[in-house]
Amino acid sequence: MNLFYETKNIYENSAELPAIFQAAEGYMDFMTRCKTERACVAYFKKRAEERGFRPLEQGAQLKSGDKFYLVNRERSIFLGIMGKRPAAEGLHIAAAHIDSPRIDLKPCPLYESEGLALLKTHYYGGIKKYQWTTIPLALEGVVVLPDGKTVDIGNNGYTFCISELLIHLAHEQMEKTASKVIEGENLRVIAGSIPDAEADQDKVKATVLKILNEKYGVTEKDFISAELTLVPKFDPAELGFDKSLIGAYGQDDRICAYTAFEALMQTENPEKTALVALVDKEEIGSDGVSGMQSQFMELVFGRIAPGESLPELCYRSKCLSADVNAALDPLYPAPTESQNCCRLNHGPCITKYTGARGKSGTSDASAETMGYFTRLFDQNNIRWQTGLLGAVDAGGGGTVAKYMANRNIDTVDIGIGLLSMHAPFEIASKADVYETIRAFRAFLK
Ligand code: MN
Ligand code: MN
């Protein structure tokens, strides 16, 4: 009997390398295609339909083994498979978020200054603003036109960039603290520079408006009824000589969304009804119609188990709140605590609590719930680890876990460790993607 708690580097078993690299291929393909919530929802819906999932209608009479999904406002999607046991006996839920930090356009974004057209923005989620200058950005999202039609202006091939002060003239700027080096109002992208000879004023702005009108039928007023966002314009990449790691934008939390989804796709006839909830707005507090606090979940429950009491259903359900965690970075060991933090390549990280200061803002899972999941993973030979989000008083954060737990669902955080979380290019491990799919399969089966 081993008296010590130890974790293993999954790559130590070289026989699994082909399977690990294969699992990563699917993930990287997803990350290449999906840089917004809408793109994620469309991707998951398409793949689910190919696997026989059908829209969850009101009054649906679902039988054991039936596969269903329901999209909420194009920004979140719940997918599931009816269990052999009645839904009233409780669901097994994996919840992850598909929104990521980014730069949104303001409702009146376009203006002209010193011969350049620029777009004003408002950042979304927690970012180090200086990381978002001088990198290529893509414009994604939709505009609703006066006739009510929605135009998708994503995948348009355009590239944008936020300029930055040259080092030669940055003497005063370099004395500022990091949070002030780039001000929020200076996160503005260049949108054009050719003047329109026919225009009387704002000639460069006029050229940009002409292009938008010719291509999409959009006028300046239509920016008000739009969701337009700037995301890093680079593809995921394999990192290192051994290609063991993945660099990509938006791995928080699409890496957990993808692994939970993939596990569900590999599930048939689960014991308990399996549900994967992929939601929006986590980075700004899980509020709004498409966030985890939305009553949309109750709507889904009602359609899965019509006539059943929702409080009873929640009381009998279990949830893995799937979100990324901070992996130990050899360059920045100080704000983590090495005995209670996760490491790349050591598998999914089970986290008893997140929060800040004196555990504020977390659901803090019970010993019984932690025991349930550690037992489940051990029985299924899942290589898992435990870890917290940083050392005591180093900072902190939260996940959707508390919104599930507040519904009286036994919930534990689980997720993949990242380096450079919330940066435009985050780092994760292929081995952790592989093992986390296995972990979700063990829970959902
Ligand atoms: Mn997250
Ligand atoms: Mn986050």
Side-chain angles (χ1 to χ4, degrees):
M1 185 178 204
N2 189 358
L3 295 180
F4 290 81
Y5 160 66
E6 290 163 338
T7 63
K8 273 205 186 77
N9 184 327
I10 294 166
Y11 279 125
E12 278 171 18
N13 180 10
S14 59
E16 284 175 287
L17 266 184
I20 290 170
F21 274 58
Q22 205 197 340
E25 256 176 52
Y27 171 60
M28 289 177 69
D29 175 64
F30 160 70
M31 292 299 279
T32 305
R33 297 161 190 267
C34 300
K35 291 179 177 168
T36 64
E37 309 78 58
R38 285 173 186 268
C40 289
V41 166
Y43 170 95
F44 290 133
K45 180 181 157 185
K46 182 166 181 288
R47 279 202 52 205
E49 282 177 343
E50 287 163 6
R51 292 280 303 174
F53 284 69
R54 294 289 167 259
L56 176 62
E57 311 283 359
Q58 196 176 4
Q61 305 273 324
L62 296 178
K63 310 180 302 293
S64 166
D66 283 354
K67 297 171 176 175
F68 60 85
Y69 71 86
L70 197 60
V71 170
N72 189 18
R73 273 89 174 185
E74 315 301 329
R75 307 179 61 89
S76 77
I77 183 169
F78 284 41
L79 311 105
I81 308 175
M82 296 303 288
K84 292 178 198 156
R85 322 277 308 172
E89 290 186 22
L91 278 57
H92 279 194
I93 306 164
H97 68 95
I98 51 178
D99 61 316
S100 297
R102 59 173 194 251
I103 316 254
D104 288 342
L105 294 199
K106 286 191 182 185
C108 295
L110 186 59
Y111 75 107
E112 176 172 339
S113 177
E114 303 300 342
L116 292 177
L118 293 132
L119 293 166
K120 299 184 177 185
T121 70
H122 200 141
Y123 63 95
Y124 172 99
I127 62 167
K128 291 181 171 178
K129 292 187 269 289
Y130 60 80
Q131 292 178 332
W132 294 73
T133 63
T134 66
I135 59 168
L137 299 167
L139 185 65
E140 299 279 342
V142 297
V143 181
V144 176
L145 301 177
D147 64 3
K149 285 206 185 85
T150 302
V151 267
D152 188 340
I153 75 159
N155 271 324
N156 48 37
Y158 297 126
T159 306
F160 300 89
C161 190
I162 299 165
S163 65
E164 236 266 62
L165 191 57
L166 62 166
I167 183 67
H168 315 66
L169 303 181
H171 185 74
E172 197 185 314
Q173 185 198 30
M174 297 302 280
E175 301 302 316
K176 294 182 179 177
T177 55
S179 64
K180 293 282 181 192
V181 161
I182 302 294
E183 302 280 355
E185 282 294 351
N186 263 2
L187 291 176
R188 296 181 178 179
V189 293
I190 298 168
S193 68
I194 300 178
D196 177 359
E198 293 164 15
D200 301 328
Q201 49 166 10
D202 286 343
K203 289 169 184 278
V204 180
K205 176 174 167 178
T207 301
V208 170
L209 285 172
K210 256 187 189 173
I211 293 169
L212 285 172
N213 193 256
E214 277 163 21
K215 196 143 189 211
Y216 304 108
V218 167
T219 68
E220 188 175 15
K221 189 182 167 197
D222 301 332
F223 279 114
I224 297 166
S225 50
E227 277 172 23
L228 293 170
T229 185
L230 293 150
V231 294
K233 193 181 182 182
F234 29 68
D235 288 337
E238 297 172 305
L239 301 185
F241 288 116
D242 58 10
K243 301 184 176 180
S244 57
L245 306 176
I246 300 165
Y249 161 66
Q251 302 206 67
D252 174 7
D253 182 35
R254 294 181 190 132
I255 197 167
C256 295
Y258 176 85
T259 46
F261 172 83
E262 198 58 43
L264 186 71
M265 293 301 108
Q266 296 174 19
T267 300
E268 297 283 347
N269 296 307
E271 202 58 34
K272 294 277 183 81
T273 294
L275 186 69
V276 172
L278 304 175
V279 296
D280 181 26
K281 299 282 191 280
E282 193 277 342
E283 296 294 358
I284 56 169
S286 296
D287 295 300
V289 286
S290 48
M292 196 70 255
Q293 297 193 72
S294 163
Q295 295 281 312
F296 180 69
M297 198 172 96
E298 282 67 26
L299 184 141
V300 169
F301 279 8
R303 290 191 182 182
I304 292 172
E308 298 292 342
S309 146
L310 293 187
E312 293 286 346
L313 196 66
C314 288
Y315 180 54
R316 290 171 175 74
S317 294
K318 285 194 165 55
C319 175
L320 281 177
S321 163
D323 207 341
V324 296
N325 206 324
L328 182 64
D329 185 336
L331 301 186
Y332 300 98
T336 46
E337 187 266 289
S338 67
Q339 194 168 311
N340 287 281
C341 75
C342 63
R343 287 166 171 78
L344 295 178
N345 298 337
H346 287 243
C349 174
I350 305 172
T351 301
K352 188 174 186 296
Y353 55 89
T354 59
R357 303 178 302 280
K359 296 194 180 182
S360 181
T362 177
S363 48
D364 200 356
S366 71
E368 289 81 359
T369 309
M370 289 297 285
Y372 170 84
F373 282 107
T374 54
R375 238 172 14 251
L376 174 82
F377 292 145
D378 283 343
Q379 284 160 1
N380 286 276
N381 298 313
I382 305 299
R383 287 152 296 186
W384 56 272
Q385 56 182 325
T386 194
L388 299 172
L389 186 62
V392 179
D393 286 341
T399 66
V400 302
K402 61 179 174 180
Y403 305 116
M404 304 303 279
N406 290 350
R407 289 166 158 122
N408 199 24
I409 298 171
D410 272 328
T411 303
V412 168
D413 273 297
I414 189 173
I416 292 177
L418 296 186
L419 302 183
S420 315
M421 193 193 295
H422 281 209
F425 200 66
E426 302 169 316
I427 298 169
S429 147
K430 287 184 181 179
D432 293 340
V433 169
Y434 168 81
E435 198 65 1
T436 304
I437 294 172
R438 292 186 65 237
F440 285 129
R441 280 177 58 183
F443 176 51
L444 298 174
K445 76 182 180 195

